[in-house]
Structure formats: structure tokens, C-alpha cells
């Protein structure tokens, strides 16, 4: 699958899973110093490969007829400051609920470690602005995911598949937290409990043989 075909495939999945509605959300994949990104104003399940613009690292259009996503500056800032090869941004419901009420996603489940640790909420700024791009870049430091205040979530990966899976994990963690908070006060894991999970993962017990 070409990178543009991947954008169509994961765009369709994002709509199917309810992670985006209408023309919200955008995806990109990096190929050296070129970025294939979803276009502005087209629903992610209506994309064809030719519709997806290709831009350079300065955000200048290299190929395609449609306008690149308005969040392209944010994608470029992430590529410049991380080892990401793909970026996924959605307005998923539970992620947005947490991003509207908290400054970080409290770690109530050890799966937060799949995202590199406690997920931060980047301070609010107008969509598409360099200020928002900078806030997201800072919130992603050492993480695979960040939330964007009163807006949505963003995840990164070595492939689009990986970045997309991180978006699903982020939304699942946010849903667990929101639902837990609706029936009581969620117990938050301590730093020591999270460190013990890392230790266990790095040093799994011997697999017993008969
Ligand atoms: Zn957005």
C-alpha cells in the first residue's frame, strides 16, 4: 500500500470506529522529507489517494490539487521534534471529554504505559496555529500521545498503523476514566505501581517448561 492509500484506509477506519465525524480529524505519513497528509474539507471516509496532498517539511505543496489539512503545521512540528513517521489527530468523544476537563489523563490503568506514560493535555490554542503546534509538541515530549484542550487527541507512531492503534488505546483509556468517574472516584495508580509494571515488562518471569 502506498502512503496515500494508507491515508484512505485508516481514514475509513477512523470514521467506522466513530473516532471522527464529518470533515474533522486528519492523518499524515512521512516519507523522508515529504509528508502525505489528508486534505482540508473532505470526510476521511471519502478520500481517494490522488486527493491527498504531499507537502515538504516547510509545508509547501509538492503534489496534489487540494488544500492540505489545516492542522498541517501541527503535524510538521511533531515530525521536526520526534522520531514519528505518522501522526493521527481526531476529535474522538472520550478523548475530547477528558481534554475539556483535565490537565492530564489520570493513570487509572497501566495501559497508559503503551503511550509512554501519563498523557498530558496541551493548553488550548486556535486550531491550525503555530501556537497550538508548539503546545502539542511540548505535550508529546517522551510520549506517543497527547490530548489537546477543548479539541481532541493526537498520537504518533513508526507507521500509520502504529499511530492509529495508539489513538484507539488513548480513546479506550479516556473512556475507562470517564465511565469510572461517573460511578465513583477512580483510584489512580502511583508512580511506584507504574514503575513496577515497567520492571515486570522488562523482566518477565521464566516461561515454565514441563
Ligand atoms: Zn482538530
Amino acid at each position: 500500500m502506498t502512503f496515500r492509500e494508507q491515508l484512505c484506509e485508516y481514514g475509513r477506519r477512523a470514521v467506522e470506529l466513530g473516532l471522527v465525524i464529518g470533515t474533522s480529524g486528519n492523518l499524515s505519513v512521512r516519507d523522508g522529507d515529504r509528508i502525505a497528509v489528508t486534505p482540508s474539507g473532505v470526510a476521511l471516509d471519502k478520500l481517494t489517494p490522488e486527493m491527498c496532498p504531499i507537502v515538504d517539511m516547510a509545508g509547501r505543496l509538492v503534489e496534489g490539487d487540494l488544500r492540505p489539512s489545516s492542522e498541517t503545521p501541527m503535524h510538521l512540528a511533531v515530525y521536526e521534534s520526534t522520531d514519528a513517521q505518522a501522526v493521527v489527530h481526531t476529535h474522538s468523544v472520550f478523548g475530547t471529554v477528558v481534554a475539556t476537563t483535565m490537565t492530564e489523563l489520570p493513570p487509572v490503568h497501566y495501559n497508559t504505559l503503551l503511550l509512554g506514560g501519563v498523557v498530558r493535555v496541551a493548553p488550548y490554542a486556535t486550531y491550525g496555529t503555530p501556537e497550538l503546534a508548539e503546545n502539542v509538541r511540548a505535550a508529546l515530549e517522551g510520549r506517543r500521545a497527547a490530548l489537546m484542550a477543548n479539541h481532541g487527541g493526537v498520537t504518533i507512531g513508526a507507521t500509520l498503523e502504529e499511530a492509529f492503534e495508539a489513538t484507539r488505546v488513548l480513546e479506550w483509556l479516556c473512556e475507562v476514566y470517564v465511565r469510572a468517574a461517573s460511578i465513583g472516584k477512580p483510584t489512580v495508580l502511583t508512580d511506584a505501581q507504574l514503575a513496577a509494571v515497567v520492571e515486570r515488562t522488562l523482566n518477565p518471569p521464566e516461561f515454565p517448561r514441563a
Side-chain angles (χ1 to χ4, degrees):
M1 234 193 297
T2 67
F3 286 141
R4 283 163 135 183
E5 286 168 351
Q6 288 181 29
L7 293 177
C8 301
E9 169 69 16
Y10 285 96
R12 193 178 52 73
R13 288 195 207 180
V15 173
E16 274 175 13
L17 292 171
L19 295 167
V20 295
I21 58 160
T23 60
S24 74
N26 34 77
L27 323 172
S28 70
V29 195
R30 180 176 188 169
D31 183 11
D33 58 358
R34 294 285 185 265
I35 312 287
V37 63
T38 51
S40 181
V42 182
L44 292 184
D45 60 344
K46 299 282 187 287
L47 294 174
T48 61
E50 317 76 60
M51 282 183 185
C52 297
I54 293 175
V55 300
D56 64 14
M57 291 301 284
R60 293 173 301 209
L61 187 66
V62 174
E63 208 179 317
D65 298 319
L66 298 182
R67 192 182 176 86
S69 163
S70 55
E71 290 297 2
T72 301
M74 187 261 285
H75 289 245
L76 294 171
V78 170
Y79 288 121
E80 262 166 27
S81 58
T82 68
D83 59 354
Q85 295 297 309
V87 177
V88 172
H89 164 56
T90 76
H91 298 172
S92 61
V93 173
F94 289 98
T96 306
V97 168
V98 172
T100 301
T101 47
M102 322 282 297
T103 55
E104 65 175 31
L105 171 60
V108 296
H109 194 286
Y110 68 86
N111 273 359
T112 192
L113 295 169
L114 294 172
L115 303 177
V118 176
V119 177
R120 306 180 188 103
V121 179
Y124 183 80
T126 308
Y127 83 93
T129 58
E131 188 188 357
L132 179 61
E134 170 54 27
N135 293 351
V136 168
R137 190 202 56 71
L140 270 176
E141 213 164 306
R143 303 286 187 273
R144 314 306 287 173
L147 292 165
M148 300 151 74
N150 302 80
H151 187 157
V154 57
T155 58
I156 61 178
T159 61
L160 188 53
E161 182 181 13
E162 224 179 85
F164 189 80
E165 188 56 26
T167 281
R168 295 188 62 207
V169 170
L170 175 62
E171 181 65 359
W172 181 83
L173 287 168
C174 289
E175 180 168 0
V176 167
Y177 180 77
V178 170
R179 290 190 186 276
S182 74
I183 59 166
K185 188 176 178 344
T187 305
V188 177
L189 295 174
T190 64
D191 288 348
Q193 285 169 328
L194 290 171
V197 173
V198 173
E199 170 64 22
R200 179 86 180 175
T201 307
L202 292 175
N203 300 295
E206 291 265 316
F207 187 74
R209 292 175 189 279

